[in-house]
């Protein structure tokens, strides 16, 4: 298990293969739809095989466990960022409708400047991570953890909730003592709680699935409602990817709108994309590249995402800097979610990574209190 966690392709190739397997079992697929599924499977398998041979690994748990960020310049800057995010979470809840308490459809309303507020409050997923890593104060740590988990729930943001659960679980696993047994209870509770909340929020946001008309398999139809939401969310991306490849549909506007700020909407709902079910409009990370550049573009985007993941892993070595750790958590998360929706090749994702790079430089410019203290009061030999 430890070796799998240290293998970069675990965060990209394995989720794609899992999503393709879910798609295979969830739908009765026609032969022409199998081409898209086969493309995703072959490229994901190739990435895993290359990754095993490349021998680029995430540092071992001893490196993560030996790093103490509380009281450091990086920790101070990260706590300042956390306070800024908490402030914007409060602004979001005070000045705009709260979807969980008001009406679930309010989650999609971004009028009145809420979209700009969300650019900051959406970073709430890092609050539990910063709370665990950067503070010795129990009340501050618990506050950051509670806000990080609670805010996505009250605004019915399933993606942000998944990001919080994933990042918190990875921190627990990578900072554990290798001599001890894997913390299955803590990680298992996080997984069960996250999946349960996801299913409930899905039903609140979109209601029952009886109106969804797709060629579901008998296994899917026999599943409980909550499990159906998980199967549908996990398989809809590869299914829509395969449908567009089978139809040879092209449209470059969605990729342009995704990568160029303020150029247009990235929403696929209500557009002329010939989806089999217009209300199930999620796609894979590689969906816009497929529409714009065909199978070659989709394959190239998978390879580019893997290269981005390797870059984030390399930045962890040898000393696991805090902001490099946050970058890795973000990149690994968008890799895990790549079979479901585009999140990696977006200007907001690039903005978060750029922010971490800037904050890392800023923290290096701050005075080192420890070094200053040792100069004033040198330790006698």
């Amino acid at each position: 298990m430890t070796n799998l966690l240290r293998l970069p392709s675990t965060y990209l190739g394995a989720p794609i293969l899992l999503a393709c397997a879910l798609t295979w079992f969830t739908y009765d697929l026609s032969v022409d739809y199998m081409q898209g599924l086969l493309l995703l499977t072959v490229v994901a398998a190739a990435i895993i095989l290359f990754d095993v041979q490349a021998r680029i690994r995430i540092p071992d748990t001893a490196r993560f466990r030996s790093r103490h960020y509380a009281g450091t310049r990086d920790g101070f800057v990260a706590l300042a960022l956390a306070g800024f995010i908490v402030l914007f979470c409060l602004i979001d809840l005070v000045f705009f409708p709260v979807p969980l308490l008001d009406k679930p459809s309010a989650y999609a309303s971004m009028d009145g400047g809420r979209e700009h507020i969300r650019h900051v409050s959406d970073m709430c997923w890092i609050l539990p991570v910063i709370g665990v890593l950067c503070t010795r104060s129990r009340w501050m740590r618990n506050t950051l953890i509670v806000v990080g988990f609670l805010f996505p729930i009250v605004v019915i943001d399933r993606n942000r909730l998944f990001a919080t659960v994933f990042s918190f679980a990875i921190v627990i696993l990578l900072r554990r003592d290798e001599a001890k047994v894997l913390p299955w209870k803590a990680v298992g509770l996080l997984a069960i709680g996250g999946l349960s909340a996801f299913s409930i929020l899905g039903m609140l946001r979109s209601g029952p699935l009886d109106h969804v008309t797709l060629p579901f398999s008998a296994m899917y139809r026999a599943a409980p409602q909550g499990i159906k939401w998980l199967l549908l969310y996990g398989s809809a991306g590869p299914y829509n990817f395969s449908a567009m490849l089978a139809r040879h549909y092209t449209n470059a506007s969605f990729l342009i709108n995704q990568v160029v700020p303020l150029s247009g909407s990235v929403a696929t709902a209500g557009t002329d994309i010939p989806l089999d079910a217009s209300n199930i409009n999620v796609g894979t990370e590689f969906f816009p590249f497929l529409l714009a550049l065909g199978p070659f573009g989709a394959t190239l985007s998978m390879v580019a995402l893997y290269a981005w993941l390797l870059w984030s892993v390399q930045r962890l070595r040898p000393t696991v800097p805090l902001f490099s750790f946050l970058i890795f958590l973000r990149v690994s998360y968008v890799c895990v979610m790549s079979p479901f929706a585009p999140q990696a090749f977006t200007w907001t994702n690039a903005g978060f990574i750029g922010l971490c790079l800037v904050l890392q430089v800023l923290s290096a410019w701050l005075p080192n209190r420890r070094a200053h203290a040792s100069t004033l009061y040198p330790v006698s030999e």
Side-chain angles (χ1 to χ4, degrees):
M1 184 64 182
T2 299
N3 291 334
L4 285 177
L5 286 174
R6 296 184 59 202
L7 191 68
S9 60
T10 297
Y11 303 91
L12 179 60
I16 294 174
L17 292 180
L18 175 60
C20 289
L22 287 177
T23 307
W24 171 272
F25 287 108
T26 301
Y27 306 94
D28 289 328
L29 296 172
S30 59
V31 176
D32 54 345
Y33 276 38
M34 290 299 298
Q35 297 177 18
L37 213 59
L38 185 61
L39 173 63
L40 293 172
T41 301
V42 169
V43 178
I47 287 174
I48 293 174
L49 291 175
F50 175 84
D51 201 41
V52 171
Q53 299 298 322
R55 299 188 179 279
I56 298 174
R57 299 292 182 266
I58 297 166
D60 57 47
T61 57
R63 294 289 181 100
F64 288 92
R65 197 173 62 256
S66 64
R67 282 306 307 265
H68 301 285
Y69 306 103
T72 65
R73 293 174 294 182
D74 285 356
F76 173 77
V77 173
L79 284 173
L81 174 63
F84 192 64
I85 295 170
V86 170
L87 174 63
F88 272 72
C89 290
L90 291 175
I91 293 173
D92 195 326
L93 298 178
V94 171
F95 293 98
F96 300 97
V98 180
L100 190 64
L101 304 179
D102 186 12
K103 53 181 180 179
S105 60
Y107 80 91
S109 175
M110 295 295 162
D111 298 331
R114 192 177 200 175
E115 180 181 4
H116 304 296
I117 300 297
R118 280 290 172 90
H119 288 326
V120 180
S121 62
D122 276 353
M123 292 190 288
C124 64
W125 65 270
I126 69 173
L127 296 178
V129 175
I130 292 175
V132 169
L133 298 179
C134 301
T135 178
R136 301 186 184 96
S137 170
R138 178 176 296 180
W139 75 266
M140 185 179 294
R141 178 172 59 250
N142 291 340
T143 298
L144 291 176
I145 291 173
V146 169
V147 174
F149 278 95
L150 191 58
F151 179 77
I153 293 176
V154 297
V155 298
I156 314 185
D157 191 334
R158 296 175 296 178
N159 178 50
R160 216 58 55 191
L161 178 63
F162 263 12
T164 306
V165 171
F166 172 84
S167 302
F168 198 64
I170 292 298
V171 169
I172 292 174
L173 290 171
L174 291 180
R175 288 178 63 86
R176 78 188 192 282
D177 189 344
E178 280 189 349
K180 297 180 180 179
V181 181
L182 281 170
W184 289 115
K185 286 186 178 179
V187 176
L189 285 174
L190 277 173
I192 293 172
L195 291 174
S196 300
F198 177 85
S199 297
I200 294 171
L201 293 178
M203 288 184 279
L204 283 173
R205 281 176 56 160
S206 306
L209 292 172
D210 300 334
H211 58 284
V212 179
T213 56
L214 289 173
F216 292 118
S217 66
M219 182 198 75
Y220 175 88
R221 298 182 187 280
Q225 185 80 358
I227 301 299
K228 284 182 178 180
W229 268 114
L230 295 175
L231 290 174
L232 182 62
Y233 191 80
S235 63
Y239 180 88
N240 286 332
F241 181 94
S242 301
M244 294 304 100
L245 180 60
R247 289 184 171 87
H248 304 288
Y249 177 77
T250 58
N251 190 333
S253 62
F254 294 97
L255 180 60
I256 295 172
N257 295 345
Q258 177 178 302
V259 298
V260 179
L262 307 177
S263 63
S265 173
V266 297
T268 54
T271 64
D272 61 351
I273 298 181
L275 298 169
D276 288 358
S278 59
N279 53 338
I280 306 299
N281 54 354
V282 297
T284 65
E285 181 71 56
F286 325 109
F287 186 74
F289 291 90
L290 175 72
L291 298 186
L293 304 171
F296 175 77
T299 301
L300 189 63
S301 66
M302 295 177 72
V303 175
L305 184 55
Y306 172 64
W308 200 353
L309 176 63
L310 292 185
W311 171 80
S312 72
V313 170
Q314 292 282 24
R315 289 188 58 84
L316 294 174
R317 303 163 73 177
T319 59
V320 193
L322 175 61
F323 290 104
S324 294
F325 194 11
L326 293 179
I327 289 174
F328 165 73
L329 290 175
R330 179 59 187 173
V331 174
S332 59
Y333 174 72
V334 298
C335 286
V336 168
M337 297 298 287
S338 64
F340 314 121
Q343 297 187 69
F345 301 105
T346 63
W347 66 271
T348 51
N349 188 53
F352 173 79
I353 294 173
L355 175 64
C356 287
L357 294 174
V358 170
L359 292 180
Q360 188 168 11
V361 173
L362 176 63
S363 65
W365 287 348
L366 294 177
N368 190 336
R369 291 181 300 172
R370 292 179 177 178
H372 182 62
S374 65
T375 302
L376 293 175
Y377 307 103
V379 178
S380 59
E381 297 181 359

